[in-house]
Amino acid sequence: MTSSTAARPPGRPRSGVNDVVFAATLRTVHELGYARATVERIAAAAGIAKTTIYRRWPTKGALIVDCLLDAFGPVPLEGGSRAEIMSSAIRWTAGKIGEPGVGDAFAGVFSDGVSDPELREILSSRLQDPYRLALQDALGEPEHRVLFLIDVVVGTLLHRMGMTGEPMVDDDVDALVEMVLPFFR
Amino acid sequence: MTSSTAARPPGRPRSGVNDVVFAATLRTVHELGYARATVERIAAAAGIAKTTIYRRWPTKGALIVDCLLDAFGPVPLEGGSRAEIMSSAIRWTAGKIGEPGVGDAFAGVFSDGVSDPELREILSSRLQDPYRLALQDALGEPEHRVLFLIDVVVGTLLHRMGMTGEPMVDDDVDALVEMVLPFFR
DNA sequence: AGGTTTCGAAACCAGAGGTAGCGAAACCAG
DNA sequence: CTGGTTTCGCTACCTCTGGTTTCGAAACCT
């Protein structure tokens, strides 16, 4: 065993509070909204110091992206036909965005990215790309078609969330599936 | 002429700089992005004092919404068939959002609304409702269908804008039309 | 025990939205 | 021309947020 698992570095090890921080982030965003969920409040909710957060994530945006990655996890792409795969992926996305705090955090960090190219890059490469690649693979569609699909699905769900403050109801998610599927058959 | 046109109130009249402010707002947002387009910078670009802006608009969000209303103007709903009306409305929306500064301002104020219920109310009632009502009338569709249509079209366009920093290219706008029309036939 | 790293706490900074106070300017009525 | 009313520009100011810095204490390994 020469080096594969990287011997523990010297010094005091980091306390394993990442999960606590993610939970505190979603809870705080859910209760106070994105803008009022300050890093200080998130740290307090997690029971740690603000500086500890900034030691692990360079910016608030990076923290939120990591938190969303943790909340979403890998997209389930089971299902036989292309239609079943797409349908279940859309419903899965809608369900995740509807979980308390997730939609607000997503819309908020997305908004911040509008005027922050570095955050946009993080958002695109760390959050969008993995799902884009998985979808390209599962659906056999070219990149630009999958990007378009993501624009439609995520854009629609976030617009509803941003405009009403509530996630999209199931009937409208059904309509979204019904509208998207024929176009990608 | 008794009272219809409201006799001019006493005191110094407001200088007619609204148009100058709108132009300066779009220009500043286009050059610096939404977050760095501070009210102070917008005022400087318009050649007026920051306090003058806050005398006319209660918040930055309200200023942006008025600016967008001015930039969009009424939606053109000419065209014979329903398909023509919808198609031209979608392309008109995409074109407006693609104008320099408009898309950034739209995405920015939309983002701010995520964590600001008052701004969301302004956005919904002053910006979305007029277009929604005009579309309900022109298309003969019920409210929730038109709201869904707006979610899809505006959401998709803003997601592309927010993710890439660039407005959607014509080919993809064509795809959007092609996807939406059959669902609303 | 010594070296190394992380922790919490506090003070701190820069930039943003938004407000208050002031004298000067612009308009109208008499 | 004078007085009343309102808006103007200017400056100073407040609050909040993201983010940084500093420092002593704690945790781990050798």
Side-chain angles (χ1 to χ4, degrees):
Chain A
M1 193 178 295
T2 52
S3 65
S4 70
T5 49
R8 156 187 283 165
R12 174 176 176 170
R14 292 194 155 177
S15 54
V17 291
N18 276 27
D19 290 346
V20 179
V21 173
F22 290 151
T25 301
L26 289 186
R27 192 179 348 129
T28 307
V29 169
H30 178 57
E31 286 170 6
L32 303 178
Y34 181 79
R36 295 177 52 195
T38 68
V39 176
E40 209 151 16
R41 274 191 257 257
I42 292 173
I48 62 171
K50 174 183 161 188
T51 38
T52 300
I53 290 191
Y54 277 107
R55 248 174 238 122
R56 304 185 182 202
W57 294 276
T59 65
K60 177 181 176 179
L63 164 63
I64 301 285
V65 169
D66 266 16
C67 181
L68 289 175
L69 274 169
D70 178 74
F72 276 86
V75 53
L77 290 176
E78 79 284 351
S81 68
R82 277 166 47 89
E84 284 173 12
I85 293 178
M86 287 191 56
S87 167
S88 73
I90 293 174
R91 293 179 205 281
W92 172 81
T93 307
K96 285 292 182 181
I97 287 180
E99 286 180 8
V102 174
D104 312 80
F106 201 164
V109 72
F110 178 81
S111 314
D112 279 359
V114 170
S115 37
D116 183 343
E118 288 186 29
L119 176 54
R120 208 156 56 206
E121 171 59 28
I122 293 178
L123 214 45
S124 169
S125 63
R126 307 218 27 210
L127 196 58
Q128 179 171 257
D129 280 0
Y131 297 111
R132 173 179 62 79
L133 292 170
L135 283 168
Q136 285 178 221
D137 196 51
L139 298 175
E141 291 276 356
E143 176 178 2
H144 81 274
R145 292 262 293 177
V146 174
L147 282 176
F148 179 78
L149 171 65
I150 293 175
D151 285 333
V152 171
V153 173
V154 178
T156 300
L157 293 169
L158 286 188
H159 188 272
R160 171 64 59 96
M161 184 92 205
M163 223 56 179
T164 67
E166 300 287 331
M168 184 169 266
V169 298
D170 285 345
D171 280 1
D172 284 328
V173 176
D174 290 342
L176 184 58
V177 171
E178 205 179 315
M179 182 188 70
V180 168
L181 282 196
F183 184 74
F184 280 90
R185 84 164 43 260
Chain B
M1 191 178 300
T2 53
S3 67
S4 69
T5 50
R8 155 190 282 164
R12 173 175 177 171
R14 293 193 153 175
S15 55
V17 291
N18 277 25
D19 290 347
V20 179
V21 174
F22 290 151
T25 300
L26 288 185
R27 192 177 351 126
T28 307
V29 169
H30 179 57
E31 287 171 5
L32 303 178
Y34 181 79
R36 294 178 53 195
T38 67
V39 176
E40 208 150 18
R41 273 192 258 257
I42 292 172
I48 63 172
K50 173 184 163 189
T51 40
T52 300
I53 290 192
Y54 278 106
R55 252 176 234 121
R56 304 185 182 203
W57 294 276
T59 64
K60 178 181 177 179
L63 164 65
I64 301 283
V65 169
D66 265 16
C67 181
L68 288 174
L69 273 169
D70 179 75
F72 276 86
V75 54
L77 291 176
E78 78 284 350
S81 68
R82 278 167 48 89
E84 284 172 12
I85 293 178
M86 287 192 56
S87 167
S88 73
I90 293 173
R91 291 180 207 281
W92 172 82
T93 307
K96 287 293 182 182
I97 288 180
E99 286 179 9
V102 175
D104 313 81
F106 201 164
V109 73
F110 177 80
S111 315
D112 280 359
V114 169
S115 37
D116 182 344
E118 288 186 29
L119 176 55
R120 210 157 54 205
E121 171 59 28
I122 294 176
L123 214 46
S124 170
S125 63
R126 307 222 22 210
L127 196 58
Q128 181 172 258
D129 281 359
Y131 297 111
R132 173 178 63 79
L133 291 171
L135 282 169
Q136 285 179 219
D137 196 52
L139 297 176
E141 292 275 357
E143 175 178 2
H144 80 274
R145 291 262 292 177
V146 174
L147 283 175
F148 179 78
L149 171 65
I150 293 175
D151 284 334
V152 170
V153 173
V154 178
T156 300
L157 293 168
L158 286 187
H159 189 271
R160 172 63 58 95
M161 185 91 203
M163 223 54 179
T164 67
E166 301 287 331
M168 184 169 267
V169 298
D170 285 345
D171 280 0
D172 284 327
V173 177
D174 290 341
L176 185 57
V177 172
E178 204 178 315
M179 182 189 70
V180 168
L181 281 196
F183 184 74
F184 280 89
R185 86 163 42 258

